[in-house]
Amino acid sequence: MNPFSFATTAQILCESGSASQLGELCKVRDAHRVLIVTDPGITKIGLLSGVLPTLSSAGIAVEVFDQVEADPPESVVLAAVEQAKAMQAELIIGFGGGSSMDVAKLVALLAHPSCSQTLQDIYGVGNARGQRLPLIQVPTTAGTGSEVTNVSILSDKQAQLKKGIVSDYLLPDVALVSPVMTLTCPRGVTAASGVDALVHAVESYLSVNASPITDALAIGAIKLIARALPKAYANPADLAAREDMATASLMAGMAFGNAGVGAVHALAYPLGGRFNIAHGVSNALLLPYVMAWNKLACVERMAEIATALGVQTHGLSEKAAADLAVEAMAELCASVDIPKGMRSFGVPEDAIPAMAEEASRIDRLMRNNPRRLTAGDIEQIYRAAY
Protein backbone atom coordinates (compact mmCIF):
# COMPACT_ATOMS: atom_id res chain seq x y z
CA MET A 1 0.00 0.00 0.00
CA ASN A 2 1.22 3.48 -0.82
CA PRO A 3 1.35 5.68 2.29
CA PHE A 4 -1.49 8.20 2.65
CA SER A 5 -3.12 10.43 5.24
CA PHE A 6 -6.73 11.51 5.59
CA ALA A 7 -8.13 14.54 7.38
CA THR A 8 -11.57 16.07 7.40
CA THR A 9 -14.03 17.98 9.59
CA ALA A 10 -14.08 16.60 13.12
CA GLN A 11 -17.87 16.25 13.44
CA ILE A 12 -20.40 15.83 10.64
CA LEU A 13 -24.14 15.95 11.32
CA CYS A 14 -26.39 14.99 8.41
CA GLU A 15 -30.14 15.33 8.92
CA SER A 16 -32.89 17.60 7.71
CA GLY A 17 -33.22 19.48 11.01
CA SER A 18 -29.56 19.60 11.94
CA ALA A 19 -29.40 23.42 11.86
CA SER A 20 -31.65 23.49 14.93
CA GLN A 21 -28.68 22.15 16.89
CA LEU A 22 -26.56 25.26 16.33
CA GLY A 23 -27.37 26.78 19.71
CA GLU A 24 -26.33 23.69 21.62
CA LEU A 25 -23.18 23.26 19.54
CA CYS A 26 -22.15 26.82 20.36
CA LYS A 27 -22.87 26.35 24.07
CA VAL A 28 -20.73 23.22 24.38
CA ARG A 29 -17.89 25.26 22.93
CA ASP A 30 -18.48 27.96 25.52
CA ALA A 31 -19.25 30.49 22.79
CA HIS A 32 -21.60 33.33 23.74
CA ARG A 33 -20.86 35.75 20.87
CA VAL A 34 -21.19 34.37 17.37
CA LEU A 35 -20.73 35.85 13.90
CA ILE A 36 -22.64 34.28 11.00
CA VAL A 37 -20.89 34.75 7.64
CA THR A 38 -23.27 34.60 4.68
CA ASP A 39 -24.38 36.39 1.51
CA PRO A 40 -27.14 38.90 0.72
CA GLY A 41 -29.24 36.29 -1.08
CA ILE A 42 -29.52 34.16 2.07
CA THR A 43 -30.71 37.19 4.02
CA LYS A 44 -33.16 38.19 1.30
CA ILE A 45 -34.95 34.83 1.16
CA GLY A 46 -35.09 34.59 4.95
CA LEU A 47 -33.16 31.35 5.25
CA LEU A 48 -31.68 32.48 8.57
CA SER A 49 -35.13 33.01 10.09
CA GLY A 50 -35.30 29.42 11.27
CA VAL A 51 -31.77 29.50 12.66
CA LEU A 52 -31.47 32.75 14.60
CA PRO A 53 -34.15 31.83 17.20
CA THR A 54 -32.29 28.64 18.13
CA LEU A 55 -29.22 30.71 18.90
CA SER A 56 -31.13 33.40 20.80
CA SER A 57 -32.95 30.83 22.92
CA ALA A 58 -29.56 29.40 23.87
CA GLY A 59 -28.53 32.83 25.20
CA ILE A 60 -26.10 33.54 22.39
CA ALA A 61 -25.51 37.04 21.01
CA VAL A 62 -25.45 36.89 17.22
CA GLU A 63 -24.34 39.27 14.51
CA VAL A 64 -24.65 38.60 10.78
CA PHE A 65 -22.12 39.54 8.11
CA ASP A 66 -24.02 39.13 4.85
CA GLN A 67 -21.79 40.81 2.28
CA VAL A 68 -20.07 37.75 0.83
CA GLU A 69 -19.79 37.81 -2.97
CA ALA A 70 -19.33 34.94 -5.39
CA ASP A 71 -15.60 34.39 -5.88
CA PRO A 72 -14.96 36.69 -2.90
CA PRO A 73 -12.20 39.30 -3.02
CA GLU A 74 -9.87 40.00 -0.11
CA SER A 75 -11.90 43.07 0.86
CA VAL A 76 -14.85 40.89 1.86
CA VAL A 77 -12.69 38.78 4.15
CA LEU A 78 -11.11 41.82 5.75
CA ALA A 79 -14.51 43.44 6.38
CA ALA A 80 -15.82 40.26 8.00
CA VAL A 81 -12.69 39.94 10.14
CA GLU A 82 -13.12 43.53 11.30
CA GLN A 83 -16.72 42.86 12.35
CA ALA A 84 -15.72 39.65 14.15
CA LYS A 85 -13.03 41.47 16.09
CA ALA A 86 -15.30 44.41 16.92
CA MET A 87 -17.93 42.12 18.46
CA GLN A 88 -15.25 39.91 20.06
CA ALA A 89 -16.70 36.87 18.36
CA GLU A 90 -16.01 33.56 20.06
CA LEU A 91 -17.22 31.32 17.24
CA ILE A 92 -17.81 31.68 13.49
CA ILE A 93 -20.63 30.09 11.52
CA GLY A 94 -20.31 29.84 7.73
CA PHE A 95 -23.82 29.73 6.30
CA GLY A 96 -24.35 29.48 2.56
CA GLY A 97 -22.51 28.27 -0.51
CA GLY A 98 -18.83 27.70 -0.98
CA SER A 99 -17.92 31.39 -1.01
CA SER A 100 -19.51 32.03 2.40
CA MET A 101 -17.89 28.95 3.90
CA ASP A 102 -14.49 29.82 2.41
CA VAL A 103 -14.68 33.32 3.90
CA ALA A 104 -15.80 31.91 7.26
CA LYS A 105 -12.69 29.71 7.43
CA LEU A 106 -10.41 32.69 7.02
CA VAL A 107 -12.38 34.83 9.48
CA ALA A 108 -12.08 32.09 12.11
CA LEU A 109 -8.31 32.15 11.67
CA LEU A 110 -7.61 35.85 11.21
CA ALA A 111 -10.05 37.09 13.88
CA HIS A 112 -8.51 35.01 16.65
CA PRO A 113 -7.03 37.34 19.30
CA SER A 114 -3.60 35.71 19.02
CA CYS A 115 -3.37 35.84 15.22
CA SER A 116 -0.45 37.87 13.87
CA GLN A 117 -0.72 36.71 10.25
CA THR A 118 -2.20 38.65 7.35
CA LEU A 119 -3.91 37.32 4.25
CA GLN A 120 -0.73 37.84 2.28
CA ASP A 121 1.13 35.62 4.74
CA ILE A 122 -1.12 32.60 4.30
CA TYR A 123 -1.60 32.17 0.54
CA GLY A 124 -0.35 28.83 -0.73
CA VAL A 125 -0.06 25.46 0.95
CA GLY A 126 0.65 25.08 4.66
CA ASN A 127 1.34 28.74 5.44
CA ALA A 128 -1.65 29.37 7.72
CA ARG A 129 -0.88 28.44 11.29
CA GLY A 130 -1.71 29.19 14.90
CA GLN A 131 -4.98 29.12 16.79
CA ARG A 132 -8.36 29.93 15.30
CA LEU A 133 -11.87 30.47 16.57
CA PRO A 134 -14.25 27.48 16.59
CA LEU A 135 -15.89 27.07 13.20
CA ILE A 136 -19.24 25.55 12.20
CA GLN A 137 -20.24 25.25 8.55
CA VAL A 138 -23.83 25.02 7.26
CA PRO A 139 -23.94 24.50 3.47
CA THR A 140 -27.03 25.70 1.59
CA THR A 141 -25.91 24.31 -1.78
CA ALA A 142 -24.83 20.81 -2.76
CA GLY A 143 -21.59 21.17 -4.59
CA THR A 144 -18.54 22.81 -3.11
CA GLY A 145 -17.86 20.46 -0.20
CA SER A 146 -16.21 23.38 1.59
CA GLU A 147 -17.73 22.21 4.87
CA VAL A 148 -15.23 19.32 4.97
CA THR A 149 -12.12 20.74 3.27
CA ASN A 150 -9.03 22.67 4.32
CA VAL A 151 -9.15 24.98 1.29
CA SER A 152 -10.30 28.57 0.83
CA ILE A 153 -10.33 30.28 -2.58
CA LEU A 154 -10.28 34.06 -3.06
CA SER A 155 -10.23 36.26 -6.16
CA ASP A 156 -7.67 38.89 -6.96
CA LYS A 157 -9.93 41.15 -9.04
CA GLN A 158 -7.12 43.45 -10.15
CA ALA A 159 -4.87 40.63 -11.37
CA GLN A 160 -7.86 38.59 -12.59
CA LEU A 161 -6.59 35.56 -10.67
CA LYS A 162 -7.94 33.08 -8.17
CA LYS A 163 -5.70 32.32 -5.20
CA GLY A 164 -5.83 29.37 -2.86
CA ILE A 165 -5.12 29.02 0.84
CA VAL A 166 -4.63 25.42 1.96
CA SER A 167 -4.06 24.45 5.57
CA ASP A 168 -5.44 21.92 8.04
CA TYR A 169 -5.99 24.88 10.37
CA LEU A 170 -8.93 25.73 8.08
CA LEU A 171 -10.70 22.41 8.67
CA PRO A 172 -14.03 23.18 10.39
CA ASP A 173 -15.00 21.76 13.76
CA VAL A 174 -18.53 20.85 12.70
CA ALA A 175 -20.40 20.45 9.42
CA LEU A 176 -24.20 20.63 9.68
CA VAL A 177 -25.56 19.15 6.45
CA SER A 178 -29.30 19.63 6.09
CA PRO A 179 -30.78 18.86 2.63
CA VAL A 180 -33.75 21.09 3.47
CA MET A 181 -31.39 24.06 3.26
CA THR A 182 -30.80 23.35 -0.44
CA LEU A 183 -34.48 23.40 -1.43
CA THR A 184 -34.29 27.14 -2.06
CA CYS A 185 -31.46 26.81 -4.62
CA PRO A 186 -32.37 28.17 -8.05
CA ARG A 187 -32.20 25.52 -10.77
CA GLY A 188 -29.11 27.11 -12.30
CA VAL A 189 -27.28 26.97 -8.97
CA THR A 190 -28.41 23.36 -8.46
CA ALA A 191 -26.91 22.45 -11.83
CA ALA A 192 -23.64 24.36 -11.47
CA SER A 193 -22.98 23.30 -7.89
CA GLY A 194 -23.96 19.70 -8.65
CA VAL A 195 -21.52 19.48 -11.55
CA ASP A 196 -18.90 21.09 -9.31
CA ALA A 197 -19.32 18.18 -6.88
CA LEU A 198 -19.07 15.76 -9.81
CA VAL A 199 -15.79 17.33 -10.91
CA HIS A 200 -14.47 17.04 -7.36
CA ALA A 201 -15.30 13.35 -7.33
CA VAL A 202 -13.89 12.61 -10.79
CA GLU A 203 -10.66 14.56 -10.29
CA SER A 204 -9.99 13.05 -6.86
CA TYR A 205 -10.55 9.57 -8.30
CA LEU A 206 -8.06 10.26 -11.09
CA SER A 207 -5.58 12.11 -8.84
CA VAL A 208 -2.09 10.73 -8.42
CA ASN A 209 -2.71 11.15 -4.67
CA ALA A 210 -5.81 8.96 -4.56
CA SER A 211 -6.08 6.45 -1.72
CA PRO A 212 -8.48 3.59 -0.95
CA ILE A 213 -10.51 5.94 1.25
CA THR A 214 -10.79 8.75 -1.30
CA ASP A 215 -11.52 6.19 -4.04
CA ALA A 216 -14.52 4.82 -2.17
CA LEU A 217 -15.84 8.31 -1.43
CA ALA A 218 -15.32 9.52 -4.99
CA ILE A 219 -16.95 6.57 -6.75
CA GLY A 220 -19.83 6.67 -4.28
CA ALA A 221 -20.33 10.37 -4.99
CA ILE A 222 -20.27 9.85 -8.78
CA LYS A 223 -22.97 7.18 -8.51
CA LEU A 224 -25.20 9.41 -6.37
CA ILE A 225 -24.77 12.48 -8.59
CA ALA A 226 -25.45 10.60 -11.83
CA ARG A 227 -28.74 9.43 -10.33
CA ALA A 228 -29.83 12.45 -8.34
CA LEU A 229 -28.66 15.61 -10.13
CA PRO A 230 -31.08 15.39 -13.08
CA LYS A 231 -33.93 14.74 -10.63
CA ALA A 232 -33.02 17.67 -8.36
CA TYR A 233 -32.72 19.91 -11.41
CA ALA A 234 -36.01 18.79 -12.95
CA ASN A 235 -37.91 18.98 -9.66
CA PRO A 236 -36.27 21.28 -7.09
CA ALA A 237 -38.74 20.09 -4.42
CA ASP A 238 -37.59 16.45 -4.70
CA LEU A 239 -36.23 16.06 -1.18
CA ALA A 240 -34.86 12.55 -1.78
CA ALA A 241 -32.79 13.86 -4.70
CA ARG A 242 -31.66 16.81 -2.57
CA GLU A 243 -30.59 14.41 0.18
CA ASP A 244 -28.56 12.36 -2.29
CA MET A 245 -26.91 15.49 -3.67
CA ALA A 246 -26.06 16.83 -0.20
CA THR A 247 -24.49 13.48 0.68
CA ALA A 248 -22.63 13.29 -2.62
CA SER A 249 -21.26 16.80 -2.20
CA LEU A 250 -20.04 15.90 1.27
CA MET A 251 -18.38 12.69 0.03
CA ALA A 252 -16.77 14.41 -2.93
CA GLY A 253 -15.49 17.16 -0.64
CA MET A 254 -13.89 14.63 1.67
CA ALA A 255 -12.31 12.92 -1.34
CA PHE A 256 -10.82 15.97 -3.02
CA GLY A 257 -9.88 17.54 0.31
CA ASN A 258 -7.35 14.73 0.62
CA ALA A 259 -6.55 13.54 -2.92
CA GLY A 260 -6.73 16.99 -4.50
CA VAL A 261 -8.17 18.14 -7.81
CA GLY A 262 -6.32 18.56 -11.08
CA ALA A 263 -6.35 20.05 -14.54
CA VAL A 264 -10.10 20.74 -14.77
CA HIS A 265 -9.87 23.15 -11.86
CA ALA A 266 -6.59 24.63 -13.05
CA LEU A 267 -8.04 25.37 -16.48
CA ALA A 268 -11.27 26.68 -14.95
CA TYR A 269 -9.51 29.29 -12.80
CA PRO A 270 -8.69 31.69 -15.67
CA LEU A 271 -12.29 31.48 -16.90
CA GLY A 272 -13.55 32.56 -13.51
CA GLY A 273 -10.84 35.13 -12.85
CA ARG A 274 -10.92 36.80 -16.27
CA PHE A 275 -14.54 36.39 -17.37
CA ASN A 276 -16.49 35.89 -14.12
CA ILE A 277 -17.88 32.53 -15.21
CA ALA A 278 -19.33 30.68 -12.21
CA HIS A 279 -16.93 28.10 -10.81
CA GLY A 280 -19.23 25.12 -11.32
CA VAL A 281 -20.07 26.17 -14.87
CA SER A 282 -16.44 26.71 -15.87
CA ASN A 283 -15.61 23.26 -14.49
CA ALA A 284 -18.49 21.73 -16.45
CA LEU A 285 -17.37 23.41 -19.67
CA LEU A 286 -13.96 21.78 -19.42
CA LEU A 287 -14.64 18.44 -17.72
CA PRO A 288 -15.27 16.20 -20.78
CA TYR A 289 -12.35 17.67 -22.70
CA VAL A 290 -9.86 17.25 -19.85
CA MET A 291 -11.14 13.72 -19.24
CA ALA A 292 -10.53 12.90 -22.90
CA TRP A 293 -6.99 14.26 -22.64
CA ASN A 294 -6.27 12.41 -19.38
CA LYS A 295 -7.64 9.11 -20.68
CA LEU A 296 -4.28 7.92 -22.00
CA ALA A 297 -2.79 7.97 -18.47
CA CYS A 298 -5.70 6.41 -16.57
CA VAL A 299 -7.82 4.32 -18.92
CA GLU A 300 -8.67 1.73 -16.25
CA ARG A 301 -10.01 4.34 -13.84
CA MET A 302 -11.89 6.09 -16.61
CA ALA A 303 -13.62 2.79 -17.40
CA GLU A 304 -14.60 2.50 -13.74
CA ILE A 305 -16.03 6.03 -13.85
CA ALA A 306 -18.16 4.98 -16.82
CA THR A 307 -19.65 2.17 -14.76
CA ALA A 308 -20.29 4.54 -11.84
CA LEU A 309 -22.14 6.85 -14.24
CA GLY A 310 -24.47 4.01 -15.13
CA VAL A 311 -22.96 3.15 -18.52
CA GLN A 312 -23.32 -0.49 -19.55
CA THR A 313 -19.70 -1.55 -20.05
CA HIS A 314 -20.04 -5.34 -20.01
CA GLY A 315 -18.03 -6.89 -22.80
CA LEU A 316 -16.32 -3.63 -23.71
CA SER A 317 -12.59 -3.01 -23.68
CA GLU A 318 -11.29 -0.55 -21.10
CA LYS A 319 -10.58 1.97 -23.84
CA ALA A 320 -14.12 1.72 -25.23
CA ALA A 321 -15.56 2.08 -21.74
CA ALA A 322 -13.33 5.08 -21.06
CA ASP A 323 -14.56 6.70 -24.27
CA LEU A 324 -18.13 6.21 -23.09
CA ALA A 325 -17.28 7.85 -19.76
CA VAL A 326 -16.39 11.06 -21.61
CA GLU A 327 -19.62 10.88 -23.63
CA ALA A 328 -21.72 10.19 -20.55
CA MET A 329 -20.19 13.12 -18.72
CA ALA A 330 -21.00 15.48 -21.59
CA GLU A 331 -24.57 14.14 -21.71
CA LEU A 332 -25.05 14.62 -17.97
CA CYS A 333 -23.89 18.24 -18.17
CA ALA A 334 -26.21 18.83 -21.13
CA SER A 335 -29.15 17.28 -19.25
CA VAL A 336 -28.96 20.07 -16.66
CA ASP A 337 -28.59 22.74 -19.33
CA ILE A 338 -24.94 23.64 -18.76
CA PRO A 339 -24.08 25.79 -21.83
CA LYS A 340 -21.62 24.19 -24.21
CA GLY A 341 -18.56 26.03 -25.42
CA MET A 342 -16.55 28.90 -23.98
CA ARG A 343 -17.66 31.13 -26.85
CA SER A 344 -21.20 31.11 -25.45
CA PHE A 345 -19.85 33.13 -22.49
CA GLY A 346 -18.16 35.73 -24.66
CA VAL A 347 -14.64 34.40 -24.15
CA PRO A 348 -12.55 35.78 -27.04
CA GLU A 349 -10.54 33.15 -28.87
CA ASP A 350 -7.42 35.31 -28.78
CA ALA A 351 -7.43 35.04 -24.96
CA ILE A 352 -6.68 31.31 -25.10
CA PRO A 353 -2.84 31.43 -25.23
CA ALA A 354 -2.63 33.69 -22.17
CA MET A 355 -5.14 31.55 -20.28
CA ALA A 356 -3.18 28.43 -21.15
CA GLU A 357 0.03 29.95 -19.86
CA GLU A 358 -1.69 31.02 -16.65
CA ALA A 359 -3.27 27.61 -16.06
CA SER A 360 0.04 25.82 -16.67
CA ARG A 361 1.55 27.71 -13.73
CA ILE A 362 -1.04 26.51 -11.19
CA ASP A 363 1.28 23.78 -9.94
CA ARG A 364 -0.72 23.23 -6.73
CA LEU A 365 -3.40 21.60 -8.91
CA MET A 366 -1.48 20.43 -11.96
CA ARG A 367 0.80 18.18 -9.97
CA ASN A 368 -2.26 16.10 -8.94
CA ASN A 369 -3.28 15.45 -12.54
CA PRO A 370 -2.66 11.95 -13.93
CA ARG A 371 -1.19 13.31 -17.18
CA ARG A 372 1.43 16.03 -17.45
CA LEU A 373 0.24 19.04 -19.42
CA THR A 374 2.29 21.74 -21.13
CA ALA A 375 0.93 25.16 -21.95
CA GLY A 376 0.59 23.94 -25.53
CA ASP A 377 -1.46 20.94 -24.42
CA ILE A 378 -3.72 23.19 -22.36
CA GLU A 379 -4.20 25.48 -25.34
CA GLN A 380 -5.40 22.50 -27.38
CA ILE A 381 -7.92 21.60 -24.66
CA TYR A 382 -9.22 25.17 -24.54
CA ARG A 383 -9.64 25.22 -28.32
CA ALA A 384 -11.52 21.92 -28.23
CA ALA A 385 -13.80 23.36 -25.57
CA TYR A 386 -14.24 26.68 -27.37
Side-chain angles (χ1 to χ4, degrees), residues 151-173:
V151 182
S152 182
I153 304 296
L154 299 181
S155 293
D156 185 332
K157 302 294 186 181
Q158 185 172 0
Q160 296 183 320
L161 295 173
K162 287 190 174 184
K163 298 180 179 179
I165 298 167
V166 184
S167 170
D168 282 351
Y169 286 105
L170 300 184
L171 280 171
D173 297 290

Side-chain angles (χ1 to χ4, degrees), residues 191-234:
S193 58
V195 174
D196 192 22
L198 182 60
V199 175
H200 292 157
V202 169
E203 291 215 279
S204 59
Y205 193 66
L206 299 180
S207 169
V208 297
N209 302 310
S211 73
I213 296 176
T214 62
D215 283 351
L217 290 165
I219 283 292
I222 293 169
K223 290 178 179 178
L224 281 174
I225 294 167
R227 180 180 74 205
L229 179 56
K231 293 179 181 179
Y233 181 73

Side-chain angles (χ1 to χ4, degrees), residues 279-294:
H279 177 65
V281 173
S282 58
N283 276 338
L285 287 172
L286 295 162
L287 176 60
Y289 303 98
V290 175
M291 286 179 66
W293 192 269
N294 281 338

Side-chain angles (χ1 to χ4, degrees), residues 1-8 168 209-214 254-255 257-259:
M1 177 184 291
N2 293 324
F4 67 89
S5 62
F6 187 88
T8 192
D168 282 351
N209 302 310
S211 73
I213 296 176
T214 62
M254 294 168 73
N258 289 275

Side-chain angles (χ1 to χ4, degrees), residues 120-135:
Q120 302 308 315
D121 295 330
I122 63 177
Y123 281 115
V125 180
N127 293 322
R129 56 186 181 275
Q131 293 180 288
R132 65 154 175 77
L133 299 172
L135 174 63

